[in-house]
């Protein structure tokens, strides 16, 4: 009856339980996430489990008394009565504890337990039948059935199952409590998110200005993809994991390029809002100009988390592959350093030539995970190495790769903000790559990138690593605009009210738009930025005649790269009736699909009439006229929306059962 034999091979019960899971139809990844969720849920309800275990011990003790009584009765010829007492008592003990646990478990656990329970009943009945019909045999069969319950549970909790490693939820965390933290969704227990909320509708007459920092991060979309593929459904995901601006900026659009001599171009499209009949959806697409000359040399410091929490297959092995891609395109004039941190920090490689592939890849492949996570010490050393290998006039960048589980040194978002804000003055950009699940600390990773003059991306596959490298970390990804700020001014004669979609933690005070000491986001050559507003027009604004703009978008930045040191520059763009179309085009449809998906995923109060079917249809239509390469990401979005919808439906069915 053991799960595994003495050689570690899976036994009959192990194979049977796995078969029961596979019969339910989930993918291998989903099976692993379901089991991971079970294990995480067990940690989340530790107190209740202890209480339940105590209750079980009391009941089982009572059952044992009844067994002894049954055996005595059997010896006296009261065989049937003894069996009946044993059955009633044993079933009561098991049923009470199982029901107690079932109430505390999330949907994927509730789905898995019935499958395991059915298996227990079938196998237990077979044992009883095989052992014969006598009273003593009956009692023995019930004892083995009780053992089967324990065996099945142990199997689900076994580290030998090859599934995702169990991660305890820290006591006192928001996620442990399930309040203002991680919602009861798969792959989310023990992970750290901060929900900045959503901007509300604002009266254009009372507050005509909307000011925000540029944000080229894409982490939220890739992480959301991981959560959905792990079984998370619409409305069950921690709202802090859904940042719609990062979802919008994940995709490529066909925005206009800047005119010669201009730093930026703005493409504006407006149409009837798909989820609110009273408003219009205005999508602003900002494009950054290319550099005039060849990319300058790069000084790259790879800061790698090699703590024990990085040992999973989805972390350090994938991280190594990602790092190999990052250094692949480097040149002889580029420099590469590698700093690792765990309980101790170490400079593994310093100032190597970019074309010394043997030394660089050898250092990367030799990394191993062990110890605690002192992110503060690692960052301090990385900044020190970056300063020592600094290339004047070049691109100096730290790329930090971690699961964000900083448990030694500074660890709060406020402390991390202050630390990297102090360091960014030395002219080094800090980009952040996130890996893994279970203990993933998204809020800390985002803080580091937002205040370290860099971008933040989540890596869930080798393909995503290649994509991030190509768009954000390749030699050609040269920062050309620092402290990029947007200020949109709405004309109250044309616009009654408006709502900024996303960017909740990137809004700025209006007076900081021209405060060149106020930090904002950085953009590289050729980058795209998408900003969307839900706008309620006045009667005048809805008229089709006239050339008065609804709004004016101003963009201000500090020139960087080869133009570093020049005075801050500013451009203004007018947006009005000429941007409105009954069919605004593929890029507008994509943005609308992303916004609907994001609102549904975070269970937004502004979701209106949006449905998963509508979002999927918009995503599908946005890909209709594109070639196969450009269409792939949009088709993936369609599939992801459908999967999140199915996951939510399954959750509802199980919850109602």
């Amino acid at each position: 009856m053991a799960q595994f034999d003495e050689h570690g091979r899976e036994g009959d019960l192990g194979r049977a339980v796995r078969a029961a899971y596979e019969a339910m139809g989930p993918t291998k990844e989903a099976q692993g996430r379901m089991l991971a969720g079970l294990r995480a849920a067990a940690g989340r309800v530790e107190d209740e489990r202890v209480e339940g275990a105590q209750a079980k011990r009391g009941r089982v003790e009572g059952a044992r008394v009844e067994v002894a009584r049954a055996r005595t009765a059997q010896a006296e010829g009261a065989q049937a009565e003894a069996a009946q007492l044993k059955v009633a008592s044993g079933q009561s003990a098991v049923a009470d504890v199982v029901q107690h646990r079932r109430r505390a478990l999330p949907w994927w656990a509730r789905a898995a337990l019935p499958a395991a329970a059915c298996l227990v009943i079938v196998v237990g009945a077979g044992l009883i039948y095989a052992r014969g019909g006598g009273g003593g045999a009956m009692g023995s069969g019930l004892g083995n059935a009780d053992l089967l319950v324990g065996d099945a549970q142990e199997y689900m909790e076994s580290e030998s199952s090859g599934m995702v490693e169990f991660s305890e939820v820290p006591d006192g965390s928001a996620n442990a409590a399930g309040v203002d933290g991680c919602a009861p969704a798969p792959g989310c227990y023990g992970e750290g998110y901060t929900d900045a909320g959503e901007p509300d509708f604002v009266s254009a007459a009372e507050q005509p200005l909307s000011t925000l920092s540029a944000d080229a991060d894409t982490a939220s979309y890739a992480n959301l993809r991981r959560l959905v593929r792990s079984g998370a459904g619409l409305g069950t995901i921690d709202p802090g994991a859904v940042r719609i601006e990062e979802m919008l900026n994940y995709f490529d659009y066909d925005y206009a390029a800047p005119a010669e001599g201009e730093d930026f171009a703005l493409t504006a499209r407006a149409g009837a809002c798909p989820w609110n009949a009273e408003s219009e959806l205005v999508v602003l697409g900002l494009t950054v100009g290319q550099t005039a000359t060849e990319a300058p040399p790069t000084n790259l410091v790879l800061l790698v988390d090699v703590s024990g929490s990085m040992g999973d297959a989805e972390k350090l092995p994938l991280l190594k592959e990602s790092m190999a891609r990052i250094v692949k395109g480097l040149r002889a004039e580029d420099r590469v350093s590698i700093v690792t941190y765990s309980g101790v920090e170490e400079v593994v490689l310093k100032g190597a030539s970019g074309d010394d592939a043997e030394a660089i890849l050898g250092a990367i492949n030799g990394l191993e995970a062990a110890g605690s996570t002192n992110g503060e010490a690692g960052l301090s050393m990385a900044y020190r190495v970056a300063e020592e290998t600094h290339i004047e006039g070049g691109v100096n960048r730290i790329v930090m790769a971690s699961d964000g589980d900083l448990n030694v040194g500074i660890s709060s978002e406020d402390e991390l903000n202050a630390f990297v804000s102090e360091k960014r003055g030395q002219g080094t950009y800090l980009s952040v790559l996130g890996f893994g699940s279970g203990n993933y600390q998204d809020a800390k990773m985002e803080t580091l990138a937002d205040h370290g003059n860099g971008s933040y991306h989540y890596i869930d596959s080798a393909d995503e690593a290649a994509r991030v490298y190509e768009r954000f970390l390749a030699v050609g990804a040269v920062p050309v605009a620092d402290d990029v700020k947007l200020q949109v001014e709405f004309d109250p004669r044309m616009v009654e009210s408006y709502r900024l979609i996303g960017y909740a933690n990137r809004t700025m005070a209006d007076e900081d738009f021209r405060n060149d000491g106020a930090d904002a986001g950085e953009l590289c050559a050729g980058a795209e930025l998408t900003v969307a507003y839900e706008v309620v027009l006045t009667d005048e604004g809805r008229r089709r005649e006239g050339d008065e703009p609804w709004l004016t978008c101003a963009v201000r930045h500090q020139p960087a790269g080869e133009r570093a040191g020049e005075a801050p520059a500013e451009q203004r763009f007018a947006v009005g009736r000429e941007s409105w179309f009954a069919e605004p085009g593929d890029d507008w449809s994509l943005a609308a699909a992303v916004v609907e998906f994001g609102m549904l995923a975070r269970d937004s109060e502004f979701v209106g009439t949006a449905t998963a079917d509508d979002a999927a249809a918009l995503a599908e239509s946005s890909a209709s006229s594109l070639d196969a390469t450009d269409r792939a990401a949009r088709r993936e979005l369609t599939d992801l929306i459908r999967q999140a919808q199915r996951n939510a439906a399954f959750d509802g069915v199980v919850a109602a059962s």
Side-chain angles (χ1 to χ4, degrees):
M1 297 311 303
Q3 303 164 35
F4 299 90
D5 63 19
E6 60 185 330
H7 303 294
R9 293 189 294 264
E10 197 171 28
D12 291 340
L13 178 63
R15 283 190 293 272
V17 172
R18 187 177 295 278
Y21 271 87
E22 292 173 349
M24 296 170 65
T27 63
K28 291 289 186 183
E29 184 183 18
Q31 294 175 39
R33 299 304 186 190
M34 289 165 69
L35 293 179
L38 260 177
R39 295 192 292 271
R44 183 171 174 265
V45 295
E46 182 61 27
D47 290 341
E48 295 174 295
R49 183 171 64 178
V50 170
E51 180 183 347
Q54 291 172 341
K56 178 181 177 181
R57 282 196 296 272
R59 292 184 176 89
V60 169
E61 184 60 33
R64 287 174 179 165
V65 171
E66 297 301 336
V67 170
R69 187 179 300 167
R71 287 175 177 169
T72 302
Q74 178 188 13
E76 296 173 354
Q79 198 173 64
E81 181 183 357
Q84 185 178 5
L85 286 170
K86 172 66 176 179
V87 169
S89 182
Q91 287 179 338
S92 174
V94 174
D96 283 353
V97 175
V98 169
Q99 182 63 24
H100 176 80
R101 291 186 178 180
R102 180 182 176 86
R103 286 194 298 269
L105 294 177
W107 68 263
W108 64 96
R110 298 196 301 270
L113 283 175
C118 290
L119 179 65
V120 167
I121 293 170
V122 171
V123 179
L127 283 170
I128 295 169
Y129 179 82
R131 289 179 179 243
M138 178 72 85
S140 178
L142 285 166
N144 280 287
D146 189 49
L147 289 174
L148 271 169
V149 174
D151 274 351
Q153 182 186 343
E154 287 173 12
Y155 176 84
M156 295 178 205
E157 296 178 354
S158 172
E159 292 298 336
S160 304
S161 65
M163 300 301 182
V164 181
E165 185 178 67
F166 167 60
S167 176
E168 296 258 354
V169 179
D171 290 340
S173 70
N175 294 349
V179 177
D180 295 331
C182 194
C188 207
Y189 287 101
E191 301 189 1
Y193 299 99
T194 297
D195 182 20
E198 295 181 275
D200 205 341
F201 277 97
V202 176
S203 166
E206 296 177 3
Q207 189 175 327
L209 297 178
S210 171
T211 308
L212 62 144
S213 164
D215 186 354
D217 297 350
T218 64
S220 183
Y221 179 79
N223 187 42
L224 180 61
R225 177 173 61 201
R226 186 258 303 181
L227 291 171
V228 171
R229 288 176 175 174
S230 301
L234 298 175
T236 70
I237 299 166
D238 187 325
V242 185
R243 293 185 292 275
I244 294 178
E245 69 277 10
E246 294 182 22
M247 297 171 65
L248 286 167
N249 289 324
Y250 180 87
F251 294 92
D252 295 319
Y253 302 85
D254 188 24
Y255 295 150
E260 186 175 353
E262 298 287 354
D263 296 317
F264 300 98
L266 187 76
T267 301
R269 288 290 182 271
C273 183
W275 60 87
N276 184 352
E278 302 299 319
S279 63
E280 317 298 322
L281 177 63
V282 179
V283 178
L284 307 177
L286 188 72
T287 309
V288 185
Q290 297 286 351
T291 56
T293 60
E294 184 181 353
T298 296
N299 174 38
L300 184 65
V301 179
L302 304 178
L303 176 59
V304 184
D305 180 354
V306 293
S307 63
S309 67
M310 291 293 292
D312 295 348
E314 61 188 354
K315 296 184 181 180
L316 190 57
L318 181 57
L319 185 155
K320 289 181 180 181
E321 185 173 357
S322 304
M323 290 296 181
R325 290 179 182 270
I326 290 173
V327 302
K328 184 178 180 180
L330 295 176
R331 307 154 300 182
E333 60 266 34
D334 301 321
R335 297 176 188 169
V336 179
S337 303
I338 299 176
V339 176
T340 63
Y341 67 98
S342 55
V344 295
E345 53 284 349
E346 179 183 1
V347 180
V348 177
L349 190 69
K350 183 176 179 180
S353 173
D355 64 352
D356 191 354
E358 183 176 354
I360 298 170
L361 295 178
I364 291 172
N365 290 332
L367 301 178
E368 295 182 354
S372 56
T373 316
N374 193 336
E376 175 188 6
L379 280 164
S380 294
M381 181 168 284
Y383 274 109
R384 185 163 64 250
V385 170
E387 191 169 11
E388 292 170 355
T389 57
H390 183 87
I391 298 178
E392 191 65 34
V395 178
N396 297 278
R397 186 188 302 277
I398 296 171
V399 176
M400 179 181 183
S402 173
D403 59 12
D405 190 13
L406 312 179
N407 50 39
V408 177
I410 60 175
S411 58
S412 74
E413 281 88 79
D414 289 342
E415 290 174 320
L416 290 169
N417 178 353
F419 178 82
V420 296
S421 295
E422 178 184 353
K423 294 291 185 181
R424 69 171 175 248
Q426 71 181 53
T428 299
Y429 295 90
L430 172 64
S431 294
V432 179
L433 304 181
F435 292 82
S437 62
N439 64 330
Y440 187 64
Q441 301 303 307
D442 169 85
K444 295 175 183 177
M445 301 291 274
E446 186 194 16
T447 295
L448 288 170
D450 284 352
H451 299 280
N453 281 8
S455 56
Y456 168 37
H457 314 280
Y458 181 83
I459 308 299
D460 60 344
S461 68
D463 288 342
E464 183 63 20
R467 188 177 191 276
V468 167
Y469 162 73
E470 198 65 38
R471 289 184 60 184
F472 299 98
L473 301 176
V475 167
V478 180
V480 295
D482 287 347
D483 295 329
V484 182
K485 307 165 189 173
L486 286 78
Q487 187 169 77
V488 179
E489 182 173 5
F490 293 88
D491 186 341
R493 296 173 302 165
M494 305 293 168
V495 176
E496 179 180 309
S497 61
Y498 64 89
R499 180 176 77 88
L500 174 63
I501 298 173
Y503 292 94
N505 62 353
R506 303 297 275 168
T507 57
M508 305 180 70
D510 295 334
E511 57 269 23
D512 280 340
F513 179 68
R514 291 191 175 85
N515 174 10
D516 296 323
D519 181 58
E522 285 64 45
L523 294 176
C524 290
E528 294 176 340
L529 187 75
T530 300
V531 181
Y533 285 91
E534 191 175 341
V535 174
V536 178
L537 297 174
T538 63
D539 290 341
E540 178 65 23
R542 282 191 288 270
R543 289 178 56 215
R544 294 289 176 255
E545 302 82 19
D547 56 1
E548 301 92 341
W550 294 339
L551 60 91
T552 301
C553 178
V555 183
R556 186 177 177 87
H557 75 287
Q558 298 270 10
E562 59 191 22
R563 292 175 54 198
E566 293 184 10
E570 187 173 318
Q571 280 181 254
R572 299 177 70 82
F573 305 91
V575 177
R577 298 181 178 91
E578 74 286 349
S579 301
W580 194 97
F581 297 89
E583 297 182 4
D586 291 343
D587 286 344
W588 183 93
S589 295
L590 172 62
V594 170
V595 173
E596 283 200 327
F597 181 32
M599 291 193 301
L600 289 164
R602 63 179 288 122
D603 196 18
S604 168
E605 65 176 291
F606 303 106
V607 72
T609 61
T611 66
D613 287 338
D614 290 343
L618 282 166
E620 181 68 24
S621 69
S622 76
S624 59
S625 63
L626 303 179
D627 62 32
T629 301
D630 293 333
R631 189 166 58 234
R634 301 188 184 198
R635 286 282 173 83
E636 179 190 69
L637 171 64
T638 304
D639 294 340
L640 203 64
I641 296 169
R642 296 290 190 199
Q643 185 174 352
Q645 181 184 34
R646 290 193 298 271
N647 293 347
F650 181 65
D651 187 16
V653 169
V654 175
S657 63

